[in-house]
Amino acid sequence: MLSGWTNQQKGGRNLADRTIGQRVSVIEALVEYTNEYPWNWTAAHFDEWMTSLATEKKLAKSTLRGYQIAVRLFCDYLSSPSYDWVHECEKRFGTFPVQICHEWNTAPHLVDYEGRPERRPLTREEIQSLFDYADAQVDRIIRLGRKGALAAYRDATILKVIYGWGLRCTEAVKLDLADLHRNPHSPEFGKLGMLDVRWGKASRGSAPKRRSVASVMPWAVEALDDYIVNVRPRFGFADHPALWVTERGGRARRPEIERRFAMYRDALGMPKQLVPHCLRHSYVTHLIEDGADPKFVQEQVGHRYASTTALYTSVSGDFMNTMMRQVLDRALTASTEGTRE
């Protein structure tokens, strides 16, 4: 059964070996827990296993959902009329495999982000303080005559790009110069009007998702252009395809950017729960506050579900008060006009 299911996923769906292996391990774990073969499984077996994983091993909700998906897919395969497992098991054992994952005993996948709630968007004031501090560190290194000014400038620009285009940290560090393009609808940005993301977050077992992100923050475009024209050439690797190069001719890596962010965050006394991904949250929030259409924002950041974009959004009190005032004014106007009629 496992061999056939593996072939189905590898040949028919072209899934990655790692994904298939993880799913097979889940099925093997369920067999070990129940001490039963799949043709004897019931929904009660599955419920007991989920309870054990949640209460004893204290697995995260997202991990439990992954297990549920694997079991559901395996049961779909076994009970499918396209394969002969139902007939074969009934002939040999007098019973047959059935679907044991149902709506009432599995968690619905409403959103694709279940991160820690304290990892909130940064306020506009925090964003400004962070970037001002990053720029000041470059000036400080130069003034003291120390090494690392180019790397500090590069990392400061990466943080600005993460926020300015709403990128994930991995998406940002894997950018190439060839990923920057003109946008005929924003000629004022020149070759930086559009940014192609080739390493977007992949769905389980799928290739990285690609998307194009339109440039919408002029100051961020200016910062990136300044880096490309005045700073990147000083690394001395003109033929390197990467947008973010190192002094040794490699690519800047995600852990380096995370460490740089944490150092600046701690120096500014910001909450330690904040990470570079919060800059992406901030991008979503601030665009919504500035009146951008939620569907446009969803496409910009590559969210599959609109509910995820909504979860990322945490508008400020000032914005909420402004919206409340507008709604209240419209309601009062409508009420007054109705009274006059």
Side-chain angles (χ1 to χ4, degrees):
M1 286 177 170
L2 290 176
S3 178
W5 189 44
T6 297
N7 292 335
Q8 181 219 36
Q9 296 178 89
K10 181 177 297 186
R13 302 183 61 191
N14 196 29
L15 298 182
D17 290 339
R18 178 183 177 185
T19 298
I20 297 173
Q22 290 174 340
R23 289 177 174 176
V24 169
S25 296
V26 170
I27 303 306
E28 291 173 340
L30 180 55
V31 171
E32 181 179 357
Y33 178 83
T34 61
N35 197 31
E36 293 283 358
Y37 288 112
W39 50 86
N40 290 323
W41 284 348
T42 65
H45 286 132
F46 179 74
D47 294 347
E48 292 174 4
W49 187 49
M50 284 289 105
T51 301
S52 172
L53 294 176
T55 59
E56 297 176 12
K57 294 191 175 182
K58 300 187 183 304
L59 297 186
K61 290 182 179 179
S62 57
T63 303
L64 293 176
R65 181 176 291 115
Y67 284 22
Q68 294 168 3
I69 291 173
V71 174
R72 179 186 288 113
L73 291 174
F74 183 62
C75 291
D76 282 343
Y77 163 73
L78 295 182
S79 57
S80 171
S82 300
Y83 304 95
D84 204 31
W85 291 114
V86 171
H87 176 264
E88 191 66 25
C89 288
E90 189 170 22
K91 181 176 68 174
R92 294 192 182 197
F93 313 115
T95 185
F96 53 87
V98 297
Q99 179 59 261
I100 61 174
C101 297
H102 307 282
E103 291 183 1
W104 59 84
N105 65 353
T106 58
H109 190 165
L110 300 180
V111 299
D112 61 6
Y113 174 74
E114 295 179 328
R116 298 166 62 183
E118 62 265 31
R119 290 186 174 174
R120 57 166 176 79
L122 280 72
T123 66
R124 295 176 190 264
E125 292 75 15
E126 288 174 329
I127 290 285
Q128 190 63 56
S129 296
L130 178 69
F131 294 157
D132 287 346
Y133 187 83
D135 292 340
Q137 294 312 295
V138 177
D139 294 337
R140 176 175 174 273
I141 294 173
I142 295 175
R143 187 175 64 255
L144 296 177
R146 296 178 179 176
K147 295 181 180 180
L150 291 179
Y153 198 111
R154 176 202 63 210
D155 294 352
T157 309
I158 293 177
L159 294 176
K160 294 173 184 177
V161 167
I162 291 175
Y163 171 70
W165 280 267
L167 305 181
R168 300 177 178 91
C169 194
T170 299
E171 295 172 347
V173 297
K174 290 188 176 183
L175 288 172
D176 283 349
L177 287 169
D179 296 327
L180 308 174
H181 301 286
R182 296 180 181 275
N183 185 346
H185 301 290
S186 54
E188 63 271 32
F189 291 153
K191 64 180 180 181
L192 303 181
M194 189 72 69
L195 188 154
D196 285 343
V197 174
R198 294 179 293 111
W199 295 93
K201 184 178 180 180
S203 299
R204 184 178 295 272
S206 302
K209 294 181 180 179
R210 304 184 62 154
R211 72 180 187 277
S212 293
V213 185
S215 304
V216 295
M217 297 187 180
W219 68 266
V221 173
E222 293 177 5
L224 179 55
D225 184 63
D226 180 58
Y227 163 80
I228 294 173
V229 174
N230 298 314
V231 178
R232 188 183 182 281
R234 298 189 181 186
F235 283 93
F237 300 97
D239 295 331
H240 200 296
L243 178 58
W244 318 108
V245 294
T246 67
E247 293 89 339
R248 297 185 178 183
R251 286 179 179 269
R253 300 183 304 127
R254 173 179 172 178
E256 299 167 357
I257 306 306
E258 292 176 337
R259 283 194 294 269
R260 180 83 70 175
F261 178 91
M263 182 171 61
Y264 294 169
R265 174 203 65 202
D266 294 345
L268 292 168
M270 294 181 182
K272 291 187 177 296
Q273 292 83 3
L274 298 179
V275 295
H277 196 78
C278 294
L279 296 173
R280 174 173 159 89
H281 291 220
S282 308
Y283 172 86
V284 172
T285 292
H286 297 163
L287 281 190
I288 295 297
E289 286 186 347
D290 290 340
D293 186 281
K295 179 62 176 177
F296 169 75
V297 178
Q298 180 184 345
E299 294 295 327
Q300 286 279 96
V301 296
H303 284 158
R304 180 179 179 183
Y305 302 100
S307 55
T308 307
T309 308
L311 183 62
Y312 270 41
T313 307
S314 179
V315 295
S316 67
D318 289 342
F319 176 80
M320 292 293 290
N321 290 335
T322 300
M323 292 299 100
M324 178 198 69
R325 187 69 254 174
Q326 291 180 5
V327 172
L328 184 58
D329 288 344
R330 285 197 295 268
L332 291 174
T333 300
S335 176
T336 301
E337 292 177 350
T339 302
R340 290 174 179 175
E341 292 177 0

